[in-house]
Amino acid sequence: MQLAVADLAFHQRLGRLMEKLGEPGFWPALARLLADVITFDTWVVLLFQPEQAPHILADHAANLAAADLFADYRAQLYRIDPFYVFSQQQPAGGLYRLDDVAPDSFRDTAYFHQYFSRNVGADELQFLLPIPGQGVLSLSLGSRRRFTDVEIGACQLFSPWLLPLMGKAIRLDAYLTEQLRHNPAERQLRLEDALRQRGEPHLTEREVQVALLVLAGHSTKAVARELGISLDTAKVHRRNLYAKLGVSNQAGLFLLFSAPSAASAD
């Protein structure tokens, strides 16, 4: 196999990019590498999660809008963003174009004219990568014009190495890991998942509710009051979930799930 000088230069830049994994400059360096092959005006890296405003991990310093570009988006507009909606449908990892995921009349909507066309452009490509337990990672490229077939083809050619590299980058993102660990909603979801997975046989939804209240410090009487059930019923649920989780008392339950690694191990 013969390599052209341009190919060698590209692989040298790719090597330098990999050296930046886990560093703040990784995403801008990746954007610069892609800019040598495809023309785009904006870029942003997001983490889409169910029923939560997307996390903005990195973005182009010269995005088309002002500094508060993502304020309205994260407040509520993300819910009607075609890529966010698509990300909630458990897509396979890959490259997707706006026309692939948007409704037929998307370009006629007020959202497109008043927000999308001003802040993203006329077209958008996103590399989407599902991250188990976290959501869907997105590298978005926006353009004031339609992307050409050649540009889309180049991005598709990059996907086999680019998507795994994105996954590696997010696993090494210490800031995101810390942010998710301290996110109450995220921690709640992780605890619920851990409870469901550890129970043998699996906990019922009511038992999960009781366990979460106990973990929050509620007494059996308080659990009964919070759930609107009798004290005897609350005692039964508590006794059953203890048996399924292999603990014998409240202290054992807290020990099982209060360690920092417990919420993330499952």
Side-chain angles (χ1 to χ4, degrees):
M1 181 179 65
Q2 293 182 341
L3 293 176
V5 173
D7 294 328
L8 293 173
F10 176 83
H11 283 86
Q12 286 178 337
R13 293 195 298 274
L14 181 57
R16 290 194 293 270
L17 171 66
M18 291 182 178
E19 292 176 349
K20 294 182 179 295
L21 279 168
E23 299 179 4
F26 170 78
W27 295 111
L30 175 57
R32 289 194 297 271
L33 181 70
L34 293 176
D36 290 337
V37 181
I38 177 174
T39 300
F40 52 89
D41 299 297
T42 63
W43 64 267
V44 61
V45 181
L46 312 98
L47 182 65
F48 295 125
Q49 296 180 297
E51 298 303 322
Q52 292 188 50
H55 289 276
I56 311 299
L57 307 184
D59 70 289
H60 189 198
N63 265 314
L64 293 178
D68 62 349
L69 166 65
F70 298 109
D72 291 339
Y73 179 78
R74 296 191 75 253
Q76 58 184 352
L77 292 181
Y78 73 90
R79 296 181 181 275
I80 57 175
D81 172 25
F83 278 102
Y84 173 81
V85 174
F86 180 70
S87 74
Q88 305 308 296
Q89 301 171 10
Q90 299 181 337
L95 176 72
Y96 297 90
R97 187 178 182 177
L98 177 63
D99 289 344
D100 296 332
V101 304
D104 293 342
S105 301
F106 173 69
R107 295 178 185 276
D108 297 326
T109 64
Y111 172 71
F112 177 81
H113 289 292
Q114 297 177 19
Y115 182 87
F116 189 95
S117 62
R118 297 178 181 178
N119 300 323
V120 181
D123 205 357
E124 183 177 15
L125 292 175
Q126 287 200 16
F127 293 91
L128 296 180
L129 178 67
I131 305 294
Q134 294 190 23
V136 177
L137 180 64
S138 164
L139 169 59
S140 165
L141 307 177
S143 174
R144 296 187 181 95
R145 56 169 181 78
R146 298 273 189 149
F147 287 108
T148 67
D149 291 340
V150 172
E151 290 171 327
I152 295 173
C155 288
Q156 290 173 333
L157 187 64
F158 290 168
S159 291
W161 60 260
L162 179 54
L163 292 170
L165 195 61
M166 289 169 55
K168 185 71 172 178
I170 196 172
R171 285 193 293 272
L172 295 176
D173 191 328
Y175 170 77
L176 177 64
T177 300
E178 188 71 7
Q179 188 177 32
L180 291 179
R181 188 168 70 86
H182 290 291
N183 184 315
E186 178 68 14
R187 182 170 175 80
Q188 180 86 350
L189 290 173
R190 288 176 180 270
L191 280 173
E192 291 180 15
D193 289 341
L195 285 165
R196 293 187 182 96
Q197 292 173 17
R198 292 194 182 196
E200 185 58 43
H202 292 317
L203 271 62
T204 66
E205 288 302 308
R206 178 63 86 186
E207 289 167 350
V208 169
Q209 294 173 337
V210 171
L212 290 171
L213 289 170
V214 172
L215 286 168
H218 290 275
S219 66
T220 305
K221 183 181 294 186
V223 168
R225 183 174 60 252
E226 289 290 327
L227 297 179
I229 58 180
S230 70
L231 180 59
D232 287 341
T233 300
K235 289 179 178 178
V236 170
H237 286 316
R238 187 165 183 164
R239 183 170 60 249
N240 289 343
L241 73 91
Y242 280 177
K244 291 180 180 180
L245 292 172
V247 298
S248 58
N249 52 36
Q250 184 187 56
L253 182 65
F254 272 88
L255 182 62
L256 189 61
F257 291 101
S258 62
S261 60
S264 59
D266 295 291

